[in-house]
Amino acid sequence: MMFTNSTVGLWNKGASTNVNGVVVPGVLTWIKDIQCDVQPYTTQLLLLAYGYNIAVSNRIYIDYFDANIKVGSILKYVDGYGNTLNLEVKIIPWNDQYMEVICLGVSL
């Protein structure tokens, strides 16, 4: 199966730094663009499917496994209305043939 209706930028945070007792979070770094299928999703559907009760807004399908996508990664894309959306990865249910990535829209 091949899902490729959106080009999404994959961004990961660098390591945090401790400066005189103050933790400075790492900056977002672009890793690469990926082709995937972006769909709306709800907390209720997540609860029914996987038993997790956390706030989510989107589900992304990728037809291969990519180790660069982790919980906390940011996926950036432009929707059909021209709006740039930032999605933070919240959950990645396990499967070795494809990735189903559950995200929450965030502002950066």
Side-chain angles (χ1 to χ4, degrees):
M1 114 176 43
M2 179 78 161
F3 300 108
T4 57
N5 74 352
S6 298
T7 299
V8 175
L10 170 61
W11 297 70
N12 283 327
K13 289 183 182 177
S16 299
T17 307
N18 190 333
V19 179
N20 295 326
V22 176
V23 176
V24 178
V27 297
L28 278 177
T29 304
W30 177 80
I31 304 300
K32 64 181 177 179
D33 288 336
I34 57 174
Q35 297 295 313
C36 60
D37 182 42
V38 180
Q39 302 175 350
Y41 203 64
T42 66
T43 299
Q44 292 81 8
L45 289 172
L46 180 66
L47 185 60
L48 285 172
Y50 298 105
Y52 294 108
N53 188 14
I54 61 172
V56 297
S57 60
N58 293 84
R59 173 172 58 181
I60 295 173
Y61 284 108
I62 305 165
D63 64 351
Y64 57 90
F65 178 80
D66 189 329
N68 292 306
I69 301 172
K70 308 169 189 153
V71 171
S73 292
I74 300 294
L75 303 172
K76 296 184 179 192
Y77 83 106
V78 178
D79 68 9
Y81 301 104
N83 300 315
T84 300
L85 301 176
N86 301 304
L87 303 173
E88 181 178 0
V89 175
K90 293 296 187 178
I91 295 175
I92 305 171
W94 180 83
N95 192 306
D96 61 355
Q97 297 176 359
Y98 64 90
M99 291 183 81
E100 179 181 7
V101 181
I102 312 298
C103 304
L104 175 65
V106 294
S107 59
L108 299 177

